[in-house]
Amino acid sequence: MSNSPFYSEDHGLFRRTVREFVAAEITPHVNDWDEAGGFPRELYRQAGELGLFGVGFAAEYGGLGEHDALLLCIIAEEVARCGAGGVGASLFSNYISAPPIQLAGSDAVKNEVLPGMLTGDIVCALGITEPGGGSDVANLKTTATRTGDHYVVSGQKTFITTGMRADYVTTAVRTGGPGPSGVSLLVIPATVDGFSRTSISKMGWWCSDTATLYFDECPVPAEYLLGVENAGFPIIMNNFNYERLQLIAGMVGAAQVCFDEALAWARDRTTFGQRLADHQVIRHKLVEMDRTINATRAWMELLAWQINQGERPVAEVAECKVQASLTMELCAREAAQILGGASYARGNPVERIYREVRVNAIGGGSEEIMRDLAARQLGI
Ligand SMILES: Cc1cc2nc3c(=O)[nH]c(=O)nc-3n(C[C@H](O)[C@H](O)[C@H](O)COP(=O)(O)OP(=O)(O)OC[C@H]3O[C@@H](n4cnc5c(N)ncnc54)[C@H](O)[C@@H]3O)c2cc1C
């Protein structure tokens, strides 16, 4: 559906460029990268050269200028077509961690981080979730206490994507009293004293590094504060909308891989004297997959277009994230059934995507939390 009316000719050209890059430089390697638990750092530089980190970042730092949510969706969907969600998760951790730096950072911090991030030489991570909980962001426990020209940061963050290789972590900290009005955002260089990290092994997204971060009285210069003290919560919430859109696009891409794999298999394989695709049960499964993918993608594109018009469809983005994880779940399940035993073999994209469903249904705001947010926004 790349001929959607929301896309310009430039969008189409950009999609083709990303698709070719993914087919040539990513897809052939994803199985090895996933088994190895990581992809080469060089991939950041290749993606930076193509401008893949530039959406929404000002030209003065090397970005593409004005924000374009449709472009963000194109990149996330096309990279997900490689069939390993860990690539997009790690490669684009910059998109969830660097926008607050551009929005609220001092000129010095922006100049220190953004140009290198856009070329792929600097990697940023977002540190919100803590061992004590991720959904209830307003109750986070990591503290940052001002002493002279520094903040002293103490606490832990966990499940942090690119946590092991990040050069900077955009970190949610408590600088004030309880609740959302005591939360600030601090960019923490990975070189500060007292900072350490350990890797987490996971069900899926194997080639995306995920870490627990430990802050043991880390002295962080006060100029790394984003905006003013205790004003971090709205920035975090606004940032989630783009993260969720990116996740939605990744899920649409993954669901599409499941459909493509299942369709090719169903056309090729014969059981009981006819192609799998000629059995009505299998035909219906394929149509259900195609139907839900088309509906989810169309909704995502509409939301991206609305965001480009200056609207803030918070409830709808939350609902669409639920729609996307249910779509991915359905497609992973039905593709696995259609492939039969072959879907259970390591290295098959359907096997990999099947293991990646849950992180999408939980990360960046779980299905339960998304429904709750939508209910509040809709005044239910
Ligand atoms: C691979 C991976 C990568 C991640 N990357 C990052 C990252 O880069 N940065 C980052 O900050 N975080 C990251 N996360 C964390 C992720 O965002 C959290 O896991 C998620 O927000 C849920 O938080 P939690 O795991 O602490 O679950 P909890 O908040 O403890 O919730 C547990 C369960 O209870 C449900 N629940 C909670 N409250 C309610 C309620 N009020 N009503 C109904 N149900 C409720 C939740 O939906 C969930 O199913 C990542 C997670 C994973 C698995």
Side-chain angles (χ1 to χ4, degrees), residues 96 126-130 133-136 158-161 202 205 210 359 362-369 372:
I96 62 173
L126 178 69
I128 308 282
T129 304
E130 301 186 343
S135 304
D136 190 3
T158 196
F159 290 118
I160 305 308
T161 299
K202 320 178 289 297
W205 279 12
T210 308
V359 64
I362 293 168
S366 66
E367 287 178 357
E368 293 78 8
I369 295 300
D372 224 43

Tab-separated table of all heavy atoms in Angstrom, residues 96 126-130 133-136 158-161 202 205 210 359 362-369 372, ligand 1:
chain	number	residue	atom	x	y	z
A	96	ILE	N	14.197	7.451	19.848
A	96	ILE	CA	13.420	7.570	21.090
A	96	ILE	C	14.185	8.365	22.145
A	96	ILE	O	13.619	8.783	23.137
A	96	ILE	CB	12.956	6.193	21.642
A	96	ILE	CG1	14.141	5.275	21.999
A	96	ILE	CG2	12.045	5.500	20.648
A	96	ILE	CD1	13.712	3.978	22.696
A	126	LEU	N	17.424	5.498	25.630
A	126	LEU	CA	16.424	6.159	26.481
A	126	LEU	C	16.245	5.341	27.751
A	126	LEU	O	15.896	4.158	27.680
A	126	LEU	CB	15.090	6.260	25.729
A	126	LEU	CG	13.928	6.880	26.514
A	126	LEU	CD1	14.155	8.372	26.750
A	126	LEU	CD2	12.598	6.672	25.773
A	127	GLY	N	16.465	5.950	28.889
A	127	GLY	CA	16.362	5.228	30.165
A	127	GLY	C	15.180	5.704	30.989
A	127	GLY	O	15.277	6.704	31.700
A	128	ILE	N	14.067	4.998	30.878
A	128	ILE	CA	12.872	5.331	31.668
A	128	ILE	C	12.594	4.198	32.670
A	128	ILE	O	12.459	4.429	33.863
A	128	ILE	CB	11.618	5.507	30.767
A	128	ILE	CG1	11.875	6.497	29.615
A	128	ILE	CG2	10.401	5.886	31.605
A	128	ILE	CD1	11.847	7.944	29.981
A	129	THR	N	12.505	2.959	32.144
A	129	THR	CA	12.062	1.813	32.955
A	129	THR	C	13.070	1.481	34.058
A	129	THR	O	14.278	1.521	33.838
A	129	THR	CB	11.871	0.581	32.041
A	129	THR	OG1	10.952	0.937	30.999
A	129	THR	CG2	11.329	-0.614	32.804
A	130	GLU	N	12.533	1.127	35.221
A	130	GLU	CA	13.373	0.751	36.368
A	130	GLU	C	13.005	-0.660	36.824
A	130	GLU	O	11.911	-1.148	36.501
A	130	GLU	CB	13.136	1.753	37.512
A	130	GLU	CG	13.466	3.177	37.089
A	130	GLU	CD	13.394	4.181	38.240
A	130	GLU	OE1	12.789	3.851	39.277
A	130	GLU	OE2	13.965	5.275	38.070
A	133	GLY	N	9.554	-0.994	38.047
A	133	GLY	CA	8.385	-0.833	37.179
A	133	GLY	C	8.625	0.107	36.018
A	133	GLY	O	9.441	1.036	36.114
A	134	GLY	N	7.900	-0.161	34.928
A	134	GLY	CA	8.035	0.641	33.714
A	134	GLY	C	6.757	1.372	33.350
A	134	GLY	O	6.792	2.458	32.771
A	135	SER	N	5.607	0.775	33.688
A	135	SER	CA	4.339	1.380	33.274
A	135	SER	C	4.044	2.655	34.050
A	135	SER	O	3.571	3.644	33.498
A	135	SER	CB	3.180	0.390	33.501
A	135	SER	OG	3.421	-0.816	32.832
A	136	ASP	N	4.353	2.634	35.331
A	136	ASP	CA	4.004	3.758	36.210
A	136	ASP	C	5.179	4.752	36.240
A	136	ASP	O	5.868	4.901	37.248
A	136	ASP	CB	3.708	3.188	37.613
A	136	ASP	CG	3.097	4.235	38.535
A	136	ASP	OD1	2.863	5.372	38.069
A	136	ASP	OD2	2.874	3.910	39.718
A	158	THR	N	16.354	-0.432	33.753
A	158	THR	CA	16.477	-1.781	33.187
A	158	THR	C	15.701	-1.917	31.884
A	158	THR	O	14.844	-1.082	31.578
A	158	THR	CB	16.023	-2.847	34.218
A	158	THR	OG1	16.512	-4.126	33.786
A	158	THR	CG2	14.518	-2.908	34.382
A	159	PHE	N	16.037	-2.967	31.131
A	159	PHE	CA	15.471	-3.220	29.789
A	159	PHE	C	15.791	-2.074	28.838
A	159	PHE	O	14.957	-1.719	28.002
A	159	PHE	CB	13.959	-3.456	29.847
A	159	PHE	CG	13.589	-4.755	30.490
A	159	PHE	CD1	12.836	-4.800	31.649
A	159	PHE	CD2	14.010	-5.950	29.937
A	159	PHE	CE1	12.505	-5.997	32.244
A	159	PHE	CE2	13.687	-7.166	30.526
A	159	PHE	CZ	12.936	-7.195	31.682
A	160	ILE	N	16.968	-1.478	28.974
A	160	ILE	CA	17.297	-0.319	28.149
A	160	ILE	C	17.923	-0.760	26.826
A	160	ILE	O	19.004	-1.371	26.798
A	160	ILE	CB	18.225	0.656	28.915
A	160	ILE	CG1	17.584	1.033	30.249
A	160	ILE	CG2	18.517	1.896	28.054
A	160	ILE	CD1	16.141	1.556	30.188
A	161	THR	N	17.221	-0.447	25.736
A	161	THR	CA	17.681	-0.820	24.392
A	161	THR	C	18.935	-0.024	24.032
A	161	THR	O	18.970	1.190	24.239
A	161	THR	CB	16.551	-0.567	23.371
A	161	THR	OG1	15.432	-1.376	23.735
A	161	THR	CG2	16.991	-0.921	21.950
A	202	LYS	N	17.366	-12.347	26.230
A	202	LYS	CA	15.917	-12.200	26.076
A	202	LYS	C	15.280	-13.267	25.173
A	202	LYS	O	15.976	-13.965	24.444
A	202	LYS	CB	15.611	-10.824	25.437
A	202	LYS	CG	16.455	-9.679	25.932
A	202	LYS	CD	16.128	-8.387	25.230
A	202	LYS	CE	16.575	-8.318	23.782
A	202	LYS	NZ	18.027	-8.396	23.604
A	205	TRP	N	14.442	-10.350	19.808
A	205	TRP	CA	15.290	-9.161	19.572
A	205	TRP	C	16.734	-9.444	19.994
A	205	TRP	O	17.383	-8.629	20.647
A	205	TRP	CB	14.753	-7.952	20.366
A	205	TRP	CG	13.603	-7.211	19.770
A	205	TRP	CD1	12.818	-7.587	18.719
A	205	TRP	CD2	13.088	-5.927	20.209
A	205	TRP	NE1	11.849	-6.636	18.489
A	205	TRP	CE2	11.993	-5.614	19.381
A	205	TRP	CE3	13.445	-5.038	21.210
A	205	TRP	CZ2	11.242	-4.435	19.522
A	205	TRP	CZ3	12.708	-3.861	21.364
A	205	TRP	CH2	11.616	-3.567	20.523
A	210	THR	N	20.342	-5.131	25.118
A	210	THR	CA	19.412	-4.661	26.152
A	210	THR	C	20.146	-4.757	27.491
A	210	THR	O	20.807	-5.760	27.747
A	210	THR	CB	18.144	-5.546	26.180
A	210	THR	OG1	17.615	-5.630	24.852
A	210	THR	CG2	17.077	-4.981	27.100
A	359	VAL	N	7.448	-8.548	23.040
A	359	VAL	CA	8.130	-7.286	23.357
A	359	VAL	C	7.369	-6.108	22.748
A	359	VAL	O	7.306	-5.023	23.339
A	359	VAL	CB	9.618	-7.295	22.926
A	359	VAL	CG1	9.786	-7.404	21.433
A	359	VAL	CG2	10.313	-6.036	23.420
A	362	ILE	N	4.368	-5.267	24.872
A	362	ILE	CA	4.689	-4.786	26.228
A	362	ILE	C	5.503	-3.485	26.184
A	362	ILE	O	5.212	-2.527	26.905
A	362	ILE	CB	5.460	-5.884	27.015
A	362	ILE	CG1	4.559	-7.084	27.291
A	362	ILE	CG2	6.021	-5.314	28.318
A	362	ILE	CD1	5.276	-8.325	27.800
A	363	GLY	N	6.541	-3.450	25.347
A	363	GLY	CA	7.469	-2.315	25.338
A	363	GLY	C	6.825	-1.030	24.824
A	363	GLY	O	5.889	-1.072	24.021
A	364	GLY	N	7.339	0.102	25.310
A	364	GLY	CA	6.846	1.398	24.829
A	364	GLY	C	5.411	1.672	25.243
A	364	GLY	O	4.733	2.513	24.649
A	365	GLY	N	4.945	0.946	26.261
A	365	GLY	CA	3.549	1.062	26.712
A	365	GLY	C	2.806	-0.206	26.334
A	365	GLY	O	2.579	-0.468	25.152
A	366	SER	N	2.452	-1.001	27.355
A	366	SER	CA	1.827	-2.311	27.095
A	366	SER	C	0.403	-2.141	26.569
A	366	SER	O	-0.185	-1.052	26.647
A	366	SER	CB	1.784	-3.115	28.398
A	366	SER	OG	0.897	-2.462	29.299
A	367	GLU	N	-0.161	-3.247	26.074
A	367	GLU	CA	-1.545	-3.190	25.562
A	367	GLU	C	-2.498	-2.675	26.652
A	367	GLU	O	-3.389	-1.867	26.375
A	367	GLU	CB	-1.977	-4.583	25.084
A	367	GLU	CG	-1.305	-5.001	23.781
A	367	GLU	CD	-1.694	-6.405	23.332
A	367	GLU	OE1	-2.443	-7.096	24.049
A	367	GLU	OE2	-1.225	-6.811	22.240
A	368	GLU	N	-2.270	-3.137	27.897
A	368	GLU	CA	-3.166	-2.713	28.990
A	368	GLU	C	-3.044	-1.209	29.220
A	368	GLU	O	-4.052	-0.494	29.367
A	368	GLU	CB	-2.825	-3.464	30.295
A	368	GLU	CG	-3.111	-4.955	30.286
A	368	GLU	CD	-2.057	-5.777	29.552
A	368	GLU	OE1	-1.011	-5.207	29.175
A	368	GLU	OE2	-2.274	-6.976	29.344
A	369	ILE	N	-1.794	-0.729	29.266
A	369	ILE	CA	-1.558	0.687	29.540
A	369	ILE	C	-2.058	1.544	28.364
A	369	ILE	O	-2.581	2.653	28.568
A	369	ILE	CB	-0.054	0.922	29.827
A	369	ILE	CG1	0.359	0.188	31.119
A	369	ILE	CG2	0.293	2.404	29.904
A	369	ILE	CD1	-0.375	0.606	32.383
A	372	ASP	N	-5.747	1.863	28.674
A	372	ASP	CA	-6.038	2.752	29.802
A	372	ASP	C	-5.847	4.209	29.398
A	372	ASP	O	-6.676	5.074	29.719
A	372	ASP	CB	-5.062	2.410	30.939
A	372	ASP	CG	-5.760	2.355	32.267
A	372	ASP	OD1	-6.871	1.792	32.320
A	372	ASP	OD2	-5.199	2.886	33.244
B	1	LIG	C1	13.355	-5.864	24.881
B	1	LIG	C2	12.862	-4.657	25.637
B	1	LIG	C3	13.381	-3.428	25.329
B	1	LIG	C4	12.998	-2.298	26.064
B	1	LIG	N1	13.587	-1.085	25.804
B	1	LIG	C5	13.367	-0.044	26.665
B	1	LIG	C6	14.107	1.175	26.546
B	1	LIG	O1	14.895	1.360	25.613
B	1	LIG	N2	13.893	2.154	27.471
B	1	LIG	C7	13.020	2.008	28.492
B	1	LIG	O2	12.894	2.917	29.303
B	1	LIG	N3	12.286	0.861	28.621
B	1	LIG	C8	12.453	-0.160	27.754
B	1	LIG	N4	11.724	-1.332	27.887
B	1	LIG	C9	10.806	-1.461	29.011
B	1	LIG	C10	9.341	-1.468	28.625
B	1	LIG	O3	8.954	-0.204	28.167
B	1	LIG	C11	8.576	-1.947	29.876
B	1	LIG	O4	8.827	-3.340	29.999
B	1	LIG	C12	7.097	-1.675	29.802
B	1	LIG	O5	6.848	-0.290	29.851
B	1	LIG	C13	6.336	-2.360	30.954
B	1	LIG	O6	6.954	-2.099	32.172
B	1	LIG	P1	7.310	-3.320	33.172
B	1	LIG	O7	7.989	-4.374	32.388
B	1	LIG	O8	8.041	-2.771	34.335
B	1	LIG	O9	5.938	-3.894	33.615
B	1	LIG	P2	5.011	-3.358	34.828
B	1	LIG	O10	4.849	-1.904	34.719
B	1	LIG	O11	5.518	-3.927	36.091
B	1	LIG	O12	3.649	-4.071	34.452
B	1	LIG	C14	3.545	-5.510	34.455
B	1	LIG	C15	2.269	-5.908	33.738
B	1	LIG	O13	1.151	-5.366	34.403
B	1	LIG	C16	0.371	-4.594	33.530
B	1	LIG	N5	-0.119	-3.402	34.242
B	1	LIG	C17	0.617	-2.487	34.904
B	1	LIG	N6	-0.170	-1.532	35.405
B	1	LIG	C18	-1.441	-1.846	35.051
B	1	LIG	C19	-2.712	-1.249	35.237
B	1	LIG	N7	-2.839	-0.084	35.894
B	1	LIG	N8	-3.795	-1.860	34.740
B	1	LIG	C20	-3.676	-3.024	34.069
B	1	LIG	N9	-2.495	-3.631	33.824
B	1	LIG	C21	-1.402	-3.061	34.319
B	1	LIG	C22	1.269	-4.189	32.381
B	1	LIG	O14	0.545	-4.022	31.199
B	1	LIG	C23	2.179	-5.392	32.294
B	1	LIG	O15	1.570	-6.340	31.482
B	1	LIG	C24	12.035	-2.441	27.104
B	1	LIG	C25	11.472	-3.689	27.366
B	1	LIG	C26	11.877	-4.794	26.657
B	1	LIG	C27	11.276	-6.131	26.998
